[in-house]
């Protein structure tokens, strides 16, 4: 913090007033870098809420991944954080135009953002590893236990599905859209 204060040519006490510690500084940097990458333009131009949701999700994941290890400092500190306000506003507009109730829209945007941040963190965790973390952990657990009691988990593990790649996020977005459509269809007339 002292070096940063010196580089900014400000008093350290003044800096500490706004930035309490290293963790807070990294969080600010992560949010700023994310906001700089997460452009709302494509979400705004989408033809409908489904396309807007897909674009929002893809851009969210791409933006989080572009941060590298700094993405560990992206957190939802409030319901709609300032680091994605314009993209969120554009997505909410599409939900409103489609007829979603405000509460449903809030829950859907929260769900989609959480899904995307979780996927981006999974990808970052797996990056550079010799073996993907979930399959490795499952394999190690099954080696310590009687694997014959876990036939389904052994079968799944042997399939080797990649839950860290583009197919996983595409699947997740498809399920999200299917669920959101069910919410829309179930709204009172």
């Amino acid at each position: 913090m002292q070096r940063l204060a010196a580089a900014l040519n400000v008093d350290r006490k003044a800096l500490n007033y706004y930035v309490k510690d290293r963790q807070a500084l990294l969080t600010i940097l992560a949010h700023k870098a994310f906001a700089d990458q997460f452009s709302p333009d494509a979400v705004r131009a989408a033809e409908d809420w489904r396309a807007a949701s897909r674009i929002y999700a893809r851009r969210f994941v791409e933006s989080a991944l572009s941060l590298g290890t700094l993405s560990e400092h992206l957190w939802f500190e409030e319901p709609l954080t300032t680091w994605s306000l314009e993209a969120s506003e554009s997505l909410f507009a599409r939900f409103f135009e489609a007829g979603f109730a405000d509460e449903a829209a809030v829950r859907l945007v929260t769900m989609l953002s959480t899904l995307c941040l979780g996927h981006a963190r999974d990808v970052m965790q797996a990056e550079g590893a010799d073996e993907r973390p979930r399959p490795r952990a499952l394999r190690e657990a099954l080696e310590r236990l009687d694997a014959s009691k876990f036939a389904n988990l052994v079968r799944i593990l042997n399939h080797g599905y990649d839950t860290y790649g583009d197919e996983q996020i595409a699947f997740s977005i498809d399920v999200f859209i299917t669920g959101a459509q069910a919410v829309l269809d179930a709204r009172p007339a």
Side-chain angles (χ1 to χ4, degrees):
M1 294 299 284
Q2 181 60 47
R3 287 194 311 245
L4 179 60
L8 294 172
N9 199 25
V10 297
D11 182 71
R12 181 180 174 157
K13 289 180 184 179
L15 179 62
N16 281 340
Y17 179 79
Y18 294 101
V19 182
K20 301 298 180 204
D21 56 22
R22 182 178 189 274
Q23 179 65 31
L25 176 62
L26 291 171
T27 299
I28 290 168
L29 291 173
H31 288 196
K32 174 68 173 121
F34 182 88
D36 289 347
Q37 293 292 320
F38 194 14
S39 170
D41 296 338
V43 176
R44 198 176 291 130
E47 67 184 56
D48 64 11
W49 70 269
R50 291 171 205 81
S53 295
R54 288 182 193 287
I55 293 165
Y56 179 95
R58 289 284 181 190
R59 295 286 167 91
F60 191 114
V61 170
E62 290 167 2
S63 297
L65 290 175
S66 75
L67 302 179
T69 58
L70 196 57
S71 69
E72 296 170 16
H73 301 280
L74 287 177
W75 292 102
F76 298 109
E77 296 170 342
E78 53 195 65
L80 294 173
T81 54
T82 57
W83 41 277
S84 61
L85 281 181
E86 288 187 46
S88 295
E89 171 66 19
S90 298
L91 186 56
F92 274 114
R94 293 305 186 174
F95 283 132
F96 178 75
E97 291 165 4
F100 284 93
D102 286 344
E103 181 179 1
V106 168
R107 294 188 187 287
L108 288 166
V109 172
T110 300
M111 177 188 289
L112 187 58
S113 299
T114 302
L115 182 150
C116 293
L117 186 55
H119 180 74
R121 286 191 173 142
D122 278 356
V123 172
M124 290 300 300
Q125 182 185 29
E127 197 166 282
D130 293 337
E131 186 178 6
R132 302 294 199 189
R134 279 189 294 274
R136 183 191 72 241
L138 179 56
R139 184 183 41 73
E140 289 172 356
L142 291 173
E143 288 171 356
R144 292 189 304 270
L145 303 169
D146 180 3
S148 66
K149 293 181 180 179
F150 303 99
N152 291 302
L153 291 174
V154 169
R155 185 184 73 253
I156 298 290
L157 181 63
N158 289 334
H159 280 298
Y161 298 122
D162 179 12
T163 59
Y164 296 86
D166 288 340
E167 288 179 15
Q168 181 62 42
I169 192 64
F171 178 84
S172 298
I173 296 166
D174 287 345
V175 170
F176 169 84
I177 289 172
T178 300
Q181 184 65 55
V183 168
L184 185 60
D185 292 344
R187 74 185 187 276

